[in-house]
Amino acid sequence: MASSRRLDGWKAIGGHFGRDRTTVMRWAQSRGLPVRRLPGGKTGTVFAFVDELDKWAANQTDLTAETPENTNAEPDTQPAPAPGFWQRNWRRLAVVSLMGTALIFALGNVWPRPQPVPASQGLPADPALASLYLEARDAWAQRTPQSLKRAITLFTTLIEKQPDSALAWAGLADAYLLSREFGEMTDEDAFTKARAAALKASQLDANLSSPHRAHGFISYWWENDPAKAGDAFRRALSLKPGEAQTHFWYGNVLSDNGQHSAALKELNTARLIEPGSISIQIDLAWAQWAAGDDAAAKAAFGQLRQQNASSPVLFDCTSLIKLADGDYVGYVQDFSEFARLRDESDLKAYAAQLRASLKSGAPAVQALLMKKALEEVAANPRRTHVWPVFLGSVAQNRADVLRFLKTATERGESWGEAGLSARIARLWPDDAEINTLLQSLRARRAA
């Protein structure tokens, strides 16, 4: 691929075909034009390789029949064949032409032309609305509180202008789902609104993949139904196998559920589709750690810190890995960086408390962490005891671990968090009672 010339931006890609940017944007949606996007970038960060574009064009049978909206193509400068050539070979060429026409006709009956994408799935026909949708997706991909607010506003505006756009409703669902993690919405508010938007998208077009993906996300992380989630994700992938975001979220679910081989397969597939996505690379490294491959995970996180040290999720992950190793100092340092990057007052205040407690040693940090964990469980019925059990295990406090495990069992809790559960088991390798209770809390499979 390195030998192929690269075109950056819709305008350059359109110029390659002698078309305007709206036409190639439409082709990308309806005809599978091989255009790539750097996640999180602006609209102009799309790019394509000339040899892939030419290969795609060779398989399209009616591009030249379309009237160019804005022709920028260079004139044909190739010299015409000499008259003598045609005069000498016209019979042979006529036969070849007839044979070619017959072959194309025959193949057309075997391989049907690509069917147009339904209007509900394609970019809006209005160029202004198409640009609005792309701008909303770009804002969504940036994963910051400000960008997600903007994405929700843009998707809502698009829906007001075109209420039958399943694509816009699905985008709104995705924006709500990320807002609970990277924005400022509560879980209940985000999941409730996302479910309503995804349901509307599915009603408008049952064959659009992204609403099924949203339903899978909601089923796992909010409804605690791994089996239903697995069905929804597989439905989404059957409709659009090459969707990186679906492989990404499905891989996260499988990893949390303890289905590590399947999770790594999905996340590696997502990375192949979008190799520039830092979010995918972070979650792939986390899945490696959850699967027990500490060396690979730590090496991957080390490289990511060198390449992109501005992701709060990166430091959230590394702080937990250090805590699992009993490194309270490293945990406090990385959690403080996580809080700084998230720039949320509550997180920064808690990080300051952790740093202050560190002056009194690891037991003081442990006490503050446990106090916070139990307060969160008491305040939210959806919270499980996996975090208190993990903290007790790191501190090697068997009495606490057994007490919280028994409470979780009595409450009928079902745990994901396979990475934390595995570390708990690893810290009590010969304790049959603890491991039996742990096994009873495992969630149902998602695949």
Side-chain angles (χ1 to χ4, degrees), residues 35 39 42 46 58 63 112 122 124 143 160 188 207 212 240 274 288 307 321 375 382 447:
V35 174
K42 298 297 184 183
V46 297
L63 293 181
R143 288 171 164 78
E160 290 171 353
E188 183 171 6
N207 292 319
H212 294 282
K240 195 170 184 180
E274 288 191 3
Q288 290 173 320
Q307 297 168 6
I321 291 174
E375 287 174 351
R382 288 179 174 271

Side-chain angles (χ1 to χ4, degrees), residues 254-409:
L254 292 169
S255 176
D256 186 80
N257 202 239
Q259 297 171 241
H260 300 302
S261 295
L264 292 170
K265 179 182 177 182
E266 295 297 331
L267 289 166
N268 275 303
T269 299
R271 187 183 181 189
L272 285 171
I273 298 171
E274 288 191 3
S277 171
I278 295 298
S279 297
I280 292 174
Q281 292 179 55
I282 289 173
D283 281 36
L284 175 57
W286 177 258
Q288 290 173 320
W289 182 80
D293 193 349
D294 290 26
K298 291 176 181 178
F301 279 122
Q303 292 176 357
L304 286 165
R305 286 182 74 152
Q306 292 179 355
Q307 297 168 6
N308 191 324
S310 63
S311 170
V313 179
L314 173 60
F315 290 94
D316 189 25
C317 292
T318 57
S319 68
L320 290 175
I321 291 174
K322 289 178 178 179
L323 183 58
D325 291 338
D327 181 4
Y328 286 91
V329 174
Y331 169 78
V332 172
Q333 290 174 341
D334 283 13
F335 183 87
S336 295
E337 186 63 11
F338 163 68
R340 185 187 71 82
L341 290 169
R342 282 296 297 264
D343 195 25
E344 295 178 12
S345 57
D346 290 348
L347 277 177
K348 290 192 289 187
Y350 182 53
Q353 292 177 24
L354 287 169
R355 290 194 299 273
S357 68
L358 190 58
K359 297 176 182 178
S360 300
V365 177
Q366 169 70 18
L368 180 58
L369 288 170
M370 185 64 79
K371 178 176 180 292
K372 176 77 167 177
L374 294 177
E375 287 174 351
E376 290 177 343
V377 171
N380 186 350
R382 288 179 174 271
R383 290 269 188 178
T384 71
H385 281 76
V386 65
W387 183 239
V389 171
F390 172 71
L391 291 174
S393 297
V394 171
Q396 286 293 283
N397 188 328
R398 187 174 187 272
D400 273 356
V401 170
L402 281 175
R403 177 161 58 93
F404 298 140
L405 282 172
K406 289 175 181 178
T407 299
T409 303

Side-chain angles (χ1 to χ4, degrees), residues 398-437:
R398 187 174 187 272
D400 273 356
V401 170
L402 281 175
R403 177 161 58 93
F404 298 140
L405 282 172
K406 289 175 181 178
T407 299
T409 303
E410 292 168 359
R411 287 175 36 151
E413 293 180 6
S414 178
W415 288 5
E417 298 283 6
L420 295 184
S421 295
R423 288 320 179 279
I424 295 168
R426 183 185 292 186
L427 289 165
W428 305 99
D430 302 317
D431 197 310
E433 185 177 8
I434 286 178
N435 282 284
T436 298
L437 288 168

